[in-house]
Amino acid sequence: MFSNPYSIPSTPSRLAFTRNPIIIESSHTSGDQPLTGYPFSIIMDGLTVYNGRFNYPYSINVADIVNAYIKYLPQPDEVEPISFGPLILIENESEVLCRDVAVVFNGEYDQEFAFIALPGGVSKQNFKRLWPSTDIFNVRFLAYDTNCFLTTRTAGWRVIMKESELYPLYYINDAPDDVFSFVEKVTGKSWTIDRLSPGIYALDIEALRSHFFEASGVLANNFDIYHRGLFACRLVIEQADPARERYRLKFRNSLGVFEIIEITGEMSITPEWEGADEAIFKRYDPVTDDYYSQRDRIERKQSISIQTGVKRPDEVRFLMDMLGSDEVYLLDLGALPVRVIPSAEEFTYKQRPEAPQSFSLTLELADTETNILQEIIDGSEAKKPRVFSKQFSKQFN
């Protein structure tokens, strides 16, 4: 699926994250070169998004330009519901190929380089370890015997998440007739999904658990996952700790897809009306021949202070990924997700803590409001509710 005759040496998988360097270079030299340089173009999905000039030899990092135009992967509820067992098709092969980027050089030596761009990136530390002989896709995300999911919970072979943090896990399939097998550890029963075409999928963990519950009556929490007959990883679902208050933050991780992290501390909400004094003005009253104070409606913004609850060392990095995310939603505050901007004034942690660690977060609501009223979801709030469900006749309501 990702084969291309015009590959970039630094992306041997033909895939590239847009928040990591995508360097295109040539060691060709030329004696007489035009003063204005030769032209080159960056083409995405058949459209030219950038035109530039170059001279030999050249070394150009196109990552920032591509990142400005690339689209994030859709969420599972944003795509047509096509499922293969617990696997949801997020983008088929043709949709993935729409992410193709071509960099065309028209110089003394005409050259074209192409790759498939995905939003996201790995840390500089990991990028430098892999570059230039291989990349993160060949090492992990396209390999059959590794944890291939686009998650930042762990870099290991065990994916551990709480029941309150369940969300589909994304993975990339670059081969035809792909095969996944899921083995439930308590009963030993398995579920095999084969003949998967190339594309990007998401593992629906709720659907996976539901299948084994219906088959054996066991609410499964521990699965071994095999990819093309090779052990890939183990998925472990933990019981959420008891808490008086529990909220979830849904955020776009460093690899460009959404995940969920829970926070279990007490929440306090602080509304603020900035500029209230500056909004006051004087209006003339002809009856009293004097001036009285008046103001226009002012904007309200809100910030939320909350403790994360106890976090293990392996959860701290996941929490830090959330704090750096460009898209975060607070769930469970109301009926609908609320977009927030998270921050932490003091974030000091121990790699080997001797006592439980909790952290203080501030969540600033992204939207300010001038009109304050109760939350309206779909209009049904203003209707008298039925006593029983619609299956009962009017006499019972």
Side-chain angles (χ1 to χ4, degrees):
M1 169 175 145
F2 304 127
S3 61
N4 195 301
Y6 305 106
S7 62
I8 301 172
S10 61
T11 59
S13 65
R14 278 55 166 184
L15 282 164
F17 278 130
T18 58
R19 288 203 297 267
N20 290 134
I22 307 173
I23 298 174
I24 302 174
E25 56 187 4
S26 172
S27 58
H28 289 304
T29 57
S30 179
D32 297 325
Q33 302 191 59
L35 292 176
T36 57
Y38 295 107
F40 79 94
S41 302
I42 299 177
I43 303 169
M44 298 179 64
D45 194 18
L47 298 175
T48 300
V49 299
Y50 184 84
N51 289 307
R53 315 289 293 187
F54 75 96
N55 278 320
Y56 294 102
Y58 60 81
S59 178
I60 303 172
N61 183 4
V62 301
D64 286 344
I65 299 169
V66 175
N67 189 59
Y69 291 92
I70 196 67
K71 294 180 180 179
Y72 280 117
L73 292 170
Q75 298 183 60
D77 58 359
E78 295 174 345
V79 299
E80 182 181 352
I82 300 175
S83 300
F84 302 85
L87 297 172
I88 304 168
L89 180 62
I90 301 297
E91 288 190 355
N92 59 31
E93 183 175 5
S94 60
E95 289 170 328
V96 174
L97 291 176
C98 287
R99 298 179 175 275
D100 184 75
V101 179
V103 185
V104 181
F105 291 87
N106 300 117
E108 185 175 346
Y109 312 94
D110 289 346
Q111 290 180 291
E112 179 178 336
F113 300 90
F115 58 94
I116 291 174
L118 293 174
V122 299
S123 66
K124 294 178 182 178
Q125 173 188 7
N126 290 328
F127 185 83
K128 287 190 289 187
R129 282 179 179 168
L130 299 172
W131 186 87
S133 59
T134 185
D135 61 21
I136 190 65
F137 296 97
N138 279 341
V139 168
R140 177 175 167 186
F141 299 129
L142 297 180
Y144 301 137
D145 59 348
T146 65
N147 170 16
C148 61
F149 294 113
L150 296 173
T151 177
T152 57
R153 291 180 180 276
T154 179
W157 60 275
R158 274 189 296 238
V159 181
I160 302 173
M161 61 174 63
K162 294 183 174 68
E163 282 187 316
S164 54
E165 298 177 342
L166 298 185
Y167 194 79
L169 294 168
Y170 283 63
Y171 93 96
I172 305 166
N173 173 28
D174 70 330
D177 297 327
D178 202 18
V179 181
F180 263 94
S181 295
F182 305 93
V183 179
E184 198 276 304
K185 295 292 289 178
V186 174
T187 63
K189 293 184 177 180
S190 63
W191 189 15
T192 298
I193 311 297
D194 56 8
R195 299 180 181 178
L196 295 168
S197 58
I200 297 176
Y201 295 80
L203 172 62
D204 186 345
I205 301 171
E206 296 282 7
L208 181 65
R209 299 179 86 195
S210 177
H211 170 84
F212 284 101
F213 180 78
E214 293 174 359
S216 60
V218 174
L219 185 59
N221 295 317
N222 202 332
F223 304 91
D224 279 351
I225 301 176
Y226 293 83
H227 195 182
R228 287 184 171 267
L230 300 175
F231 178 83
C233 64
R234 177 170 295 167
L235 174 62
V236 179
I237 302 169
E238 291 183 319
Q239 181 179 356
D241 295 330
R244 290 181 58 188
E245 296 185 42
R246 189 186 313 278
Y247 306 93
R248 295 170 297 158
L249 289 169
K250 176 182 173 184
F251 68 98
R252 199 175 289 280
N253 69 15
S254 293
L255 302 173
V257 299
F258 278 108
E259 295 198 81
I260 289 178
I261 185 171
E262 73 161 12
I263 45 180
T264 57
E266 294 185 358
M267 172 184 290
S268 58
I269 304 175
T270 304
E272 298 178 14
W273 288 268
E274 290 186 351
D277 294 337
E278 291 80 359
I280 298 174
F281 61 93
K282 295 288 186 178
R283 187 179 292 276
Y284 177 69
D285 183 359
V287 176
T288 62
D289 190 28
D290 203 352
Y291 293 88
Y292 63 93
S293 297
Q294 189 175 336
R295 75 175 185 192
D296 294 326
R297 289 192 67 87
I298 56 176
E299 285 189 336
R300 180 208 65 184
K301 72 174 186 178
Q302 294 189 95
S303 61
I304 297 172
S305 300
I306 191 168
Q307 290 286 324
T308 62
V310 175
K311 294 297 178 186
R312 301 187 306 257
D314 61 307
E315 295 178 291
V316 172
R317 284 188 179 273
F318 192 50
L319 179 64
M320 288 192 286
D321 192 25
M322 182 278 296
L323 287 169
S325 176
D326 57 336
E327 191 172 356
V328 183
Y329 297 91
L330 174 61
L331 310 180
D332 311 312
L333 179 64
L336 300 174
V338 178
R339 187 161 186 172
V340 296
I341 301 172
S343 61
E345 290 186 5
E346 295 184 5
F347 197 101
T348 303
Y349 69 98
K350 294 182 179 180
Q351 185 64 22
R352 295 178 176 84
E354 297 178 354
Q357 298 182 108
S358 180
F359 306 94
S360 299
L361 302 183
T362 299
L363 308 175
E364 182 179 334
L365 272 64
D367 291 328
T368 58
E369 293 285 358
T370 54
N371 304 304
I372 313 300
L373 69 160
Q374 300 296 328
E375 186 176 37
I376 298 173
I377 302 171
D378 57 7
S380 63
E381 303 83 3
K383 297 179 182 180
K384 181 182 177 181
R386 295 172 61 96
V387 178
F388 301 103
S389 66
K390 293 182 178 180
Q391 283 74 19
F392 292 87
S393 63
K394 293 183 179 179
Q395 288 87 344
F396 292 93
N397 285 277

